[in-house]
Amino acid sequence: MKFISEEQSAALVTHEMAFDAAREALCAVVENAVLFPAVLAHGSSPANRFSIKSASTGTFAGLKVGSFWPGNPDIGLPRHNSVILLFDQAIGRVEWAIEAGKVNAYRTAAADAVAVDTLARKDASTLAIFGAGNQALFECIAIARIRPITKVLVVARDQAKGDAFVAELRNAGLNAVQAAAQEACEQADIVVTATPAREPLFSADWIRPGTHVASMGSDAVGKQELPPALFASAALFCDHPAQAVVMGDLQHFTGDRARIVALGDVLLGRAEGRTSPDQITVFDSSGIALQDLTIARKLIAAFEGTTQP
């Protein structure tokens, strides 16, 4: 078995690599890939959660184990961690094990960036971000690569954490300020939620026409960031409909599920994306294993290119 450490994968990953992997995976999921039901579990303490997500294609197969230990920041460690395993399909043994904590942040943000690139208005320039954690930073940077973001409105429950996050964004070259939820929504062209919330973070009537909204934190049963009333008139997109309606924000959608479109179908020209400047679009990312496996293969190619024969 070959191994790439957290330090090595973090040094190799880039936003460009993650974007390409996300786009490739989102297309593959509507073509020849198979995604298997996710396993959701917890550690000895029910507050400590982990998930196992797996997938296969005609050329590769594997799984991602992702964990969320909320108390880790108290000891100087990130809440999220991730390990990707790729199988040698000829013999069934694990061929590669990749520690991918930082990679996971890149690949999550990349799915959002692909959705923004596909669905958001080309002139979208004001971004509202709900959450001030590690993932929120990656979301903002990934989106700012593909849209002319001139202002980031930060909605944070904790004033001090919000201030620290604003400083991080400014250090990254983004114009950022804290804002109340309603103010942020009413000004934003793009709204992104990156939280562990279990109830809506804002009211549907705060979202103005033409806005693109992305739920990035809802990846388990019971999680919820968006108000269900938003779904009534918005165009609905996700990474994988069968998974999103079970553990994404769309688990709270009670309407006609035929309205939910896989983003890969839009990317491949099989379905419409945004149809007018005033349309509200919603993207629900429940996190597909295929994206982890695809970026893992790109990391391996980069890793092998830096090692001696």
Side-chain angles (χ1 to χ4, degrees):
M1 182 177 70
K2 290 170 274 191
F3 176 69
I4 299 178
S5 70
E6 174 66 29
E7 292 74 20
Q8 290 168 320
S9 67
L12 291 169
V13 69
T14 65
H15 282 289
E16 291 80 5
M17 176 193 291
F19 185 93
D20 290 344
R23 198 180 195 286
E24 182 179 327
L26 288 163
C27 290
V29 77
V30 297
E31 292 194 297
N32 65 342
V34 179
L35 269 65
F36 303 100
V39 175
L40 304 177
H42 62 72
S44 300
S45 167
N48 297 329
R49 300 278 176 169
F50 66 91
S51 64
I52 302 170
K53 297 178 179 179
S54 54
S56 69
T57 71
T59 56
F60 61 90
L63 59 90
K64 189 275 287 283
V65 181
S67 63
F68 178 73
W69 255 240
N72 276 4
D74 295 338
I75 55 174
L77 296 174
R79 292 183 175 90
H80 293 273
N81 211 337
S82 181
V83 175
I84 303 169
L85 304 179
L86 286 175
F87 291 100
D88 180 331
Q89 296 203 79
I91 59 174
R93 296 182 65 178
V94 173
E95 182 178 12
W96 283 94
I98 304 171
E99 292 184 323
K102 191 168 187 177
V103 168
N104 189 68
Y106 274 89
R107 75 102 192 136
T108 301
D112 191 6
V114 173
V116 167
D117 192 41
T118 308
L119 301 172
R121 299 191 332 268
K122 297 299 182 185
D123 63 349
S125 60
T126 299
L127 167 64
I129 179 77
F130 283 74
N134 181 66
Q135 186 59 47
L137 177 64
F138 285 88
E139 300 292 329
C140 294
I141 293 173
I143 290 171
R145 287 184 61 248
I146 55 172
R147 283 296 184 271
I149 301 301
T150 58
K151 181 188 291 187
V152 180
L153 302 171
V154 175
V155 183
R157 292 180 302 173
D158 184 295
Q159 177 75 31
K161 288 182 179 179
D163 287 341
F165 183 49
V166 165
E168 282 190 281
L169 290 171
R170 290 176 178 172
N171 286 339
L174 294 171
N175 174 30
V177 295
Q178 282 206 66
Q182 183 170 354
E183 174 192 2
C185 289
E186 290 177 346
Q187 293 185 34
D189 304 307
I190 300 170
V191 175
V192 175
T193 57
T195 77
R198 290 183 172 268
E199 60 183 22
L201 298 168
F202 55 86
S203 295
D205 57 6
W206 296 350
I207 301 298
R208 63 182 182 175
T211 303
H212 174 70
V213 181
S215 168
M216 304 306 297
S218 294
D219 60 355
V221 175
K223 285 191 174 182
Q224 184 178 22
E225 297 180 296
L226 308 184
L230 184 64
F231 303 146
S233 58
L236 306 179
F237 303 88
C238 68
D239 45 14
H240 184 49
Q243 180 173 288
V245 298
V246 174
M247 55 189 291
D249 228 292
L250 288 171
Q251 67 187 277
H252 306 287
F253 174 55
T254 59
D256 180 6
R257 289 184 172 177
R259 290 182 51 215
I260 302 172
V261 177
L263 188 63
D265 282 327
V266 180
L267 293 168
L268 292 171
R270 299 173 180 171
E272 287 187 318
R274 173 177 292 276
T275 57
S276 75
D278 290 335
Q279 185 179 47
I280 295 173
T281 55
V282 169
F283 175 65
D284 182 17
S285 175
S286 57
I288 54 173
L290 193 62
Q291 194 176 334
D292 299 284
L293 305 187
T294 304
I295 198 169
R297 285 161 56 85
K298 293 183 182 297
L299 286 167
I300 291 166
F303 178 75
E304 291 185 325
T306 64
T307 57
Q308 296 298 315

